[in-house]
Amino acid sequence: MKELIVALDFPSPDQAIAMARHLSGQIRWIKIGLELFCQSGPAIVQTMKDLGFNVFLDLKFLDIPNTVRGAVASATRIGADMLTVHIAGGKDMITAAREGIQQKNIGPAPLLIGVTVLTSMNIKDLKGTFPLRNSADVPSIVENMSIRGQKWSLDGVVCSGQEAGMIRRQCPLPFMIVTPGIRMTQIKDDQKRVTTPAQAITSGSNFLVVGRPITMANDPLATAHAYLQALEK
Ligand code: C5P
């Protein structure tokens, strides 16, 4: 399965809905992140579903198990088709997240996806917080987190395209690999571990997440189409 997810990182629901309407028919998945969700509230999930989209609710939960169980149950109830928790929360938190999903008894369960190391961070950023030695430490942390996350019941992970191949070898399908930090040009914005759509797909990514390169483009529809074509090649 290969899908493009467009991240609707907008400060207002009106802007997000206008972009969603513009892309509808071309794109099947959209991502609602912290900025849009905090401004719009849970109703934005149903609005996007009514427009025909599958919704990736990317709120990256990281808290004590009891709180995450409740948050995941709520995200499931409002209709998320995919949601994120930080693998750094550990086994008990991820087990609780799975229990939160299971509290819903109607309809298909959302995909429970674990965030590894943000694609906006490289070895230099991580060294500021953790005792790491060299750049080979980053893929090895991502790999370790993915293997553990899979054991702890995750349906997949978020990682950069640079680590996707290694993870795919360790975690075969149906384990899902979701990859942001996708760029077809040299403009990286604040992303650091970036790849092209082709690199990510060849390495085994299933979902490519693209935000600003599409939403800030002069012609978002044509740009989305170019990303879709690159993904299908
Ligand atoms: O605009 P851009 O394509 O960089 O957007 C990437 C999207 O993916 C953002 O919404 C960001 O929150 C999300 N994301 C990420 N890195 C992760 C997880 C999610 O960039 N590890």
Side-chain angles (χ1 to χ4, degrees), residues 5 13 65 69 77 84 101 124 132 152 160 169 176 219:
I5 305 178
R69 183 186 299 109
R77 224 172 285 124
T84 41
I101 285 182
K124 211 169 139 225
L132 302 182
W152 299 339
S160 95
R169 284 189 288 282
M176 293 288 126
D219 185 343

Side-chain angles (χ1 to χ4, degrees), residues 7 9 31 58 60 115 117-119 158 180 183 191 209-213:
D9 293 320
K31 183 171 91 72
D58 182 25
K60 300 188 181 68
V115 177
V117 176
L118 295 172
T119 47
V158 184
R183 293 292 184 271
Q191 297 284 12
V209 180
V210 183
R212 288 160 292 183

Side-chain angles (χ1 to χ4, degrees), residues 23-226:
L23 297 174
S24 96
Q26 284 281 332
I27 301 293
R28 281 198 287 262
W29 282 82
I30 56 92
K31 183 171 91 72
I32 297 172
L34 290 165
E35 183 182 13
L36 181 59
F37 191 81
C38 290
Q39 183 60 41
S40 316
I44 192 71
V45 175
Q46 193 54 50
T47 304
M48 293 298 165
K49 291 178 79 78
D50 291 344
L51 288 171
F53 293 99
N54 293 316
V55 174
F56 174 15
L57 188 59
D58 182 25
L59 302 180
K60 300 188 181 68
F61 297 134
L62 174 62
D63 210 315
I64 60 171
N66 186 55
T67 301
V68 169
R69 183 186 299 109
V72 168
S74 299
T76 302
R77 224 172 285 124
I78 62 174
D81 298 292
M82 181 190 294
L83 53 91
T84 41
V85 295
H86 273 281
I87 299 177
K91 183 180 178 189
D92 289 353
M93 191 202 81
I94 289 172
T95 305
R98 176 58 66 194
E99 289 165 4
I101 285 182
Q102 286 162 348
Q103 286 178 8
K104 184 190 173 188
N105 47 19
I106 352 158
L111 290 169
L112 180 62
I113 304 293
V115 177
T116 56
V117 176
L118 295 172
T119 47
S120 57
M121 300 183 84
N122 60 17
I123 182 71
K124 211 169 139 225
D125 304 301
L126 290 165
K127 267 184 175 166
T129 321
F130 301 103
L132 302 182
R133 290 177 310 267
N134 56 56
S135 53
D137 287 339
V138 178
S140 120
I141 293 169
V142 174
E143 182 182 31
N144 256 306
M145 290 179 116
S146 304
I147 294 168
R148 276 157 216 258
Q150 187 185 33
K151 273 198 207 126
W152 299 339
S153 84
L154 288 178
D155 295 308
V157 287
V158 184
C159 68
S160 95
Q162 297 176 12
E163 298 102 31
M166 193 176 62
I167 294 171
R168 180 51 78 219
R169 284 189 288 282
Q170 298 286 343
C171 308
L173 287 167
F175 197 69
M176 293 288 126
I177 299 180
V178 180
T179 298
I182 298 292
R183 293 292 184 271
M184 287 175 75
T185 67
Q186 295 304 314
I187 302 164
K188 290 188 183 177
D189 303 303
D190 54 351
Q191 297 284 12
K192 291 188 183 143
R193 300 194 335 279
V194 300
T195 55
T196 64
Q199 282 166 333
I201 290 295
T202 313
S203 303
S205 297
N206 304 99
F207 292 92
L208 304 191
V209 180
V210 183
R212 288 160 292 183
I214 292 175
T215 57
M216 299 295 151
N218 289 333
D219 185 343
L221 197 57
T223 312
H225 195 64

